[in-house]
Amino acid sequence: MTVRTPPRRHTAAHASRRSCAGSLAALALLLAACGSGSTPPATTTPATTTPAGESGETGKPSTRTLAHADRSQTRSFSLLRMRPDGLPAATRRILGTGRFGVNWALAKRIPVGLPGAYWLVPGAGYLCIVSQVPGIPGAGTACNETWRARREGLATISFERATGGEPQTRVLVGVTRDSAHHVLAHTGSSIVTVPVVDGIFVLRDAAAAAPDRLTVR
């Protein structure tokens, strides 16, 4: 497997008040403890990222703020055809001004039965997932181009601390095109099949590492 190495690297501790585009091979997968000035707890992992504000295809920054989700986004992602919820004011204060032309007012809550909160936010040719997870300070963002989110999925990952002798839990929350049936999470030699329902997928298991890549079917 060939892993594409972007020109810069950030760890979660360096992502304070930033939105970043993440890629592990062709996978948009990123953990960023945004808004936290201290080193996050062991439940987060560093990720390889492309420079904030740059497109993986053109290398040009996205400068305009999106007024509404574009046709390619609403056609493929049913969440963006619904009335937006907007990010809570407290979350906006943590994240500050968004990158990639994202408009926090267009955020739509991703309905998952998990602690914390997740939102899908459209940008200018980009989609982002904003997450707030119990036990992890601040708010995280995972962003990548719309076409990649359609073809390869867009996901954010966290690790719940082990308690009472139980192993830690890997939690993956993501979106992909509405027509997808399932996502394959590849982690080393292990492949886990995750059902996709209305463009949303959730995985909770005991794996100790982030997936190397996702495959959408």
Side-chain angles (χ1 to χ4, degrees):
M1 180 187 72
T2 300
V3 177
R4 178 169 61 87
T5 303
R8 292 175 59 190
R9 299 178 69 88
H10 291 290
T11 66
H14 296 152
S16 177
R17 298 185 182 276
R18 296 181 182 177
S19 299
C20 306
S23 182
L24 297 179
L27 165 64
L29 182 64
L30 172 67
L31 254 183
C34 298
S36 173
S38 59
T39 302
T43 50
T44 64
T45 59
T48 303
T49 69
T50 57
E54 293 188 2
S55 164
E57 292 182 294
T58 66
K60 297 179 180 179
S62 300
T63 56
R64 69 182 179 91
T65 298
L66 197 69
H68 52 78
D70 65 37
R71 184 178 178 184
S72 67
Q73 293 169 337
T74 57
R75 183 173 60 242
S76 298
F77 298 87
S78 59
L79 283 173
L80 300 179
R81 296 194 295 270
M82 303 176 186
R83 184 175 180 175
D85 301 306
L87 283 185
T91 308
R92 295 191 196 194
R93 286 194 294 270
I94 292 171
L95 296 175
T97 302
R99 304 292 183 93
F100 312 116
V102 295
N103 186 339
W104 300 139
L106 299 178
K108 182 62 183 178
R109 185 79 174 258
I110 302 174
V112 293
L114 296 172
Y118 301 84
W119 297 266
L120 178 62
V121 190
Y126 276 77
L127 291 175
C128 295
I129 295 177
V130 174
S131 61
Q132 289 191 287
V133 180
I136 300 178
T141 56
C143 301
N144 218 329
E145 294 97 332
T146 300
W147 70 271
R148 285 192 184 276
R150 285 197 307 263
R151 191 176 75 181
E152 302 160 3
L154 172 67
T156 184
I157 187 170
S158 61
F159 291 90
E160 297 177 356
R161 291 185 183 277
T163 58
E166 296 293 327
Q168 75 171 7
T169 301
R170 178 176 68 169
V171 181
L172 185 72
V173 175
V175 297
T176 188
R177 62 183 185 273
D178 295 339
S179 59
H181 298 290
H182 57 266
V183 167
L184 303 181
H186 303 256
T187 309
S189 60
S190 172
I191 301 176
V192 179
T193 301
V194 189
V196 176
V197 179
D198 296 329
I200 302 168
F201 57 95
V202 177
L203 171 64
R204 296 183 79 253
D205 64 10
D212 302 310
R213 62 188 175 94
L214 299 179
T215 304
V216 178
R217 299 288 175 84

